């Protein structure tokens, strides 16, 4: 419910629908930064009724949000909902799509632990069965591995500094977004909240690693980072991951790399065959995504697998090292990833996480 002392401007969602965004995908106008800010402030305050909120979300989906609108939503989320806890380490922020994966293994836990073992701290964050897919995300794989996930933000930061890998739990660090869960669930389609929650950056990291479905969307996301007053990423890498998640896909993966210093977006391709990996997407498919992702991760980190999953986790671990510029090339990172698996350092990080 709206706090009685909270004051808004002149743009309730119903007026925005009527006058700006609600006339259909071809004739709708874009909101100003101020209008988008006010809209999301009203949403987080619980002011719009359910019908109006649903219509507003759907209108945004039809017309497609601009980077300026997304930046406004993100800034309000960071100001009014996100509780940050910054570790002493400066980790790579991994914000994969929160609604998860439903047919291929989640590789990011293993990849993040491998990177941490090699000296690249990594933060991951997710919710719990987030709409619309409600599929397997970081939390569920970590739960299956007996790693604590329902942590307060300060505990998450402590986990990063103790182990090199940390998990931030959305209901704890982003309660305003969590409060929208039921309404998002009733929508039945993704909304702009699915986009902005991935860049919440609860650890105030300097580098972001994310995913996209199409290259044009990566450009929109880097423009969002530029437009935002609250996000201070100096470097971001987005790629066309498996099922929209932050896992490099077998074969061909499109990558978009952005640096704040020159504000340029460079795109290129990763071909797994160039790294001696003869794998296809079907090789990473699983039936029980949560349980199998965990058991595969555990076996790979213990050095007990030498297959497509081991290759994929090593390559994704190397990519996290590269994102933070701890290695100059993926080849260098891949060699280091295989080294920390072979000598037991990666497995030791998992054991430290389980003991945390």
């Amino acid at each position: 419910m709206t706090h009685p002392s909270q004051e808004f401007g002149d743009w309730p969602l119903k007026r925005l629908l009527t006058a700006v965004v609600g006339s259909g995908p071809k004739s709708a106008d874009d909101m100003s930064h101020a209008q988008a800010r006010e809209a999301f402030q009203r949403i987080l305050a619980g002011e719009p009724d359910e019908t109006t909120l649903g219509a507003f979300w759907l209108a945004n989906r039809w017309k497609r949000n601009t980077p300026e609108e997304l930046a406004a939503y993100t800034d309000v989320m960071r100001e009014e909902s996100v509780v940050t806890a910054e570790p002493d380490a400066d980790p790579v922020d991994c914000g994969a799509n929160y609604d998860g994966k439903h047919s291929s293994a989640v590789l990011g836990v293993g990849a993040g632990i491998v990177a941490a073992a090699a000296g690249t701290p990594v933060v991951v964050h997710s919710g719990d069965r987030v709409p619309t897919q409600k599929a397997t995300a970081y939390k569920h794989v970590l739960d299956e591995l007996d790693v604590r996930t329902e942590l307060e933000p300060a505990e998450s930061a402590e986990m990063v500094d103790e182990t090199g890998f940390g998990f931030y739990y959305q209901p704890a660090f982003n309660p305003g977004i969590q409060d929208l869960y039921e309404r998002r669930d009733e929508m039945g389609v993704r909304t702009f909240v699915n986009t902005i929650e991935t860049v919440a950056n609860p650890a105030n990291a300097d580098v972001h690693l994310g995913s996209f479905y199409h290259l044009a969307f990566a450009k929109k996301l880097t423009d969002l980072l530029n437009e935002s007053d609250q996000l201070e990423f100096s470097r971001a890498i987005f790629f066309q991951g498996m099922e929209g998640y932050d896992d490099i896909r077998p074969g061909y993966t499109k990558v978009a790399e952005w640096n704040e210093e020159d504000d340029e977006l460079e795109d290129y391709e990763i071909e797994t065959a160039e790294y001696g990996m003869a794998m296809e997407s079907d090789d990473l498919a699983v039936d029980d995504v949560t349980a199998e992702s965990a058991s595969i991760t555990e076996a790979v980190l213990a050095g007990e697998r030498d297959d497509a999953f081991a290759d994929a986790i090593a390559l994704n671990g190397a990519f996290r090292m590269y994102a933070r510029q701890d290695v100059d090339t993926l080849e260098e990172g891949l060699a280091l990833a295989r080294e920390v698996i072979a000598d037991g350092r990666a497995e030791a990080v998992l054991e430290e996480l389980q003991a945390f």
Side-chain angles (χ1 to χ4, degrees):
M1 299 297 291
T2 307
H3 193 283
S5 65
Q6 190 163 1
E7 295 182 0
F8 300 114
D10 300 322
W11 289 96
L13 263 62
K14 188 173 181 180
R15 184 183 177 198
L16 283 170
L17 281 164
T18 302
V20 186
V21 302
S23 59
K26 294 184 178 179
S27 57
D29 291 323
D30 296 324
M31 288 174 284
S32 68
H33 186 271
Q35 288 171 330
R37 276 190 60 89
E38 181 178 340
F40 205 49
Q41 285 172 332
R42 289 176 181 269
I43 290 170
L44 289 181
E47 188 232 37
D49 69 32
E50 296 175 358
T51 302
T52 303
L53 176 57
F56 181 78
W57 272 337
L58 195 56
N60 274 254
R61 183 178 173 89
W62 280 340
K63 83 167 193 66
R64 300 183 181 181
N65 284 120
T66 65
E68 184 178 27
E69 291 169 339
L70 291 172
Y73 298 149
T74 300
D75 286 348
V76 170
M77 176 183 69
R78 288 270 298 177
E79 292 162 3
E80 301 192 8
S81 179
V82 174
V83 180
T84 61
E86 190 171 327
D88 293 332
D90 186 12
V92 177
D93 172 72
C94 296
N97 290 329
Y98 276 28
D99 57 0
K101 298 174 76 174
H102 58 75
S103 62
S104 61
V106 174
L107 307 174
V109 172
I113 290 173
V114 165
T120 296
V122 171
V123 157
V124 302
H125 43 97
S126 81
D128 190 358
R129 306 298 176 188
V130 169
T132 54
Q133 292 191 139
K134 296 186 181 180
T136 297
Y138 277 120
K139 174 182 171 28
H140 311 113
V141 179
L142 289 164
D143 284 342
E144 193 77 11
L145 287 167
D146 293 323
V147 176
R148 288 178 61 210
T149 57
E150 297 187 12
L151 304 167
E152 292 303 313
E155 293 178 294
S156 299
E158 184 181 349
M159 177 185 278
V160 180
D161 286 329
E162 283 195 14
T163 71
F165 179 96
F167 175 76
Y168 285 70
Y169 185 39
Q170 185 180 47
F173 79 81
N174 204 349
I177 297 299
Q178 178 64 22
D179 288 346
L180 296 173
Y181 183 96
E182 290 185 9
R183 299 272 40 87
R184 294 170 67 187
D185 191 24
E186 290 297 324
M187 279 294 296
V189 295
R190 291 168 62 88
T191 73
F192 61 75
V193 180
N194 291 78
T195 298
I196 64 172
E197 66 190 352
T198 67
V199 292
N201 195 17
N204 285 335
D206 189 52
V207 177
H208 176 74
L209 184 73
S211 58
F212 62 85
Y213 288 97
H214 305 289
L215 184 60
F217 192 68
K219 172 62 175 170
K220 182 177 289 190
L221 288 171
T222 56
D223 287 345
L224 181 167
L225 301 187
N226 258 337
E227 295 275 354
S228 171
D229 295 326
Q230 288 291 318
L231 294 175
E232 296 184 354
F233 293 121
S234 66
R235 177 170 164 82
I237 297 182
F238 297 95
F239 59 97
Q240 199 169 16
M242 293 186 69
E243 298 186 62
Y245 221 69
D246 57 1
D247 299 325
I248 294 170
R249 59 180 66 196
Y252 168 95
T253 297
K254 192 76 172 178
V255 180
E257 186 172 325
W258 171 84
N259 290 284
E260 182 184 38
E261 185 176 358
D262 53 20
D263 190 24
E264 290 186 2
L265 187 68
E266 176 188 3
D267 63 272
Y268 53 91
E269 296 81 35
I270 293 175
E271 294 275 3
T272 50
E274 293 180 3
Y275 301 95
M277 299 177 182
M279 65 170 104
E280 299 179 358
S281 294
D282 287 348
D283 295 324
L284 302 181
V286 291
D287 294 321
D288 185 331
V289 177
T290 300
E292 291 184 66
S293 294
S295 63
I296 289 165
T297 295
E298 202 160 25
V300 169
L301 297 180
E304 296 172 355
R305 295 188 74 126
D306 183 16
D307 57 7
F309 290 109
D311 284 342
I313 285 176
L315 183 61
N316 279 280
F319 201 55
R320 282 147 178 78
M321 301 176 213
Y322 173 77
R324 193 171 177 266
Q325 299 179 297
D326 290 333
V327 295
D328 294 327
T329 65
L330 274 180
E331 290 89 349
E332 181 185 347
L334 187 56
L336 187 52
R338 297 197 189 283
E339 179 183 317
V340 300
I341 292 172
D343 66 17
R345 279 181 282 170
E347 185 178 27
V349 171
L350 176 58
E351 290 171 353
E352 289 172 3
L353 285 166
Q354 290 168 329
F356 180 81

